[in-house]
Amino acid sequence: MKKYISIALTSLLALTMFSCTKKADIAGIEPKLPNLQLSSLGYQQSSPFTLTTVLQLNFGATAKVPVGKFILEVLDGTTVVNTVTFPSWSGNDASSTAKVVNHSISYSLQDSNYPNVQVYSGSILLSLSKLNLAFDKTYSVRASAYSATGDLVSKITQSAFFKTIPAPVVPK
């Protein structure tokens, strides 16, 4: 009889331990999240790249404030080689014209359990030919996301991010 009581109690204990669901403390966690945070920067294409490549960068971010400009710097070591400025997180860069698009940025909002936090999944189309890069070099990239008021900034740097190579020679 003791054996059956022990088995029943053990079973009951196991059921209560594994049937509980844990819910996140949304009200407690949300205030601790940063107001603006770039969380990732990467790409899915295979490096090295020719200077004619249009590189698609992907980024992730969270924001509890309205977002403003987005700046991308291409670095050779610690020297800034070129800066691409996007006035907003959607559209063309500041150097583009109505007829010529040099670089573009876009995003989509992702679902979030936090009512006051926007979760961004974005992409940047970066035309390497417009950046005055040299071939056979390795470049780093620094992304800076700004709030709409400009007083908050979040930066992320990827060192030795991509390498350039000469364009293949096409036989005549």
Side-chain angles (χ1 to χ4, degrees):
M1 184 71 158
K2 278 183 160 178
K3 181 178 173 183
Y4 294 115
I5 293 173
S6 295
I7 291 173
L9 288 175
T10 304
S11 298
L12 183 60
L13 181 62
L15 282 173
T16 58
M17 283 177 37
F18 297 109
S19 65
C20 294
T21 57
K22 220 174 192 183
K23 293 185 179 180
D25 179 13
I26 302 292
I29 294 172
E30 187 176 46
K32 296 177 183 175
L33 295 173
N35 287 326
L36 180 63
Q37 181 70 50
L38 277 174
S39 57
S40 62
L41 179 66
Y43 58 85
Q44 294 179 338
Q45 295 160 269
S46 295
S47 183
F49 304 112
T50 64
L51 296 179
T52 60
T53 300
V54 175
L55 180 60
Q56 180 177 334
L57 302 178
N58 302 308
F59 67 91
T62 59
K64 293 195 289 187
V65 296
V67 295
K69 68 181 176 180
F70 196 103
I71 295 178
L72 203 65
E73 296 170 303
V74 179
L75 307 150
D76 182 3
T78 58
T79 305
V80 176
V81 175
N82 208 311
T83 301
V84 179
T85 302
F86 297 98
S88 71
W89 288 27
S90 180
N92 300 329
D93 71 307
S95 70
S96 293
T97 65
K99 294 182 181 182
V100 178
V101 174
N102 294 326
H103 315 284
S104 64
I105 188 171
S106 63
Y107 70 87
S108 62
L109 292 175
Q110 304 301 303
D111 292 334
S112 171
N113 290 330
Y114 302 103
N116 301 311
V117 176
Q118 300 289 321
V119 178
Y120 294 85
S121 174
S123 67
I124 298 169
L125 294 178
L126 197 61
S127 298
L128 299 186
S129 63
K130 308 286 185 181
L131 297 175
N132 300 320
L133 305 178
F135 63 83
D136 284 333
K137 302 246 343 175
T138 301
Y139 294 98
S140 300
V141 173
R142 178 172 44 229
S144 302
Y146 290 82
S147 64
T149 57
D151 59 342
L152 295 174
V153 63
S154 176
K155 295 183 180 196
I156 189 169
T157 302
Q158 296 288 13
S159 298
F161 194 53
F162 66 89
K163 181 175 174 53
T164 58
I165 58 172
V169 178
V170 179
K172 292 184 181 185

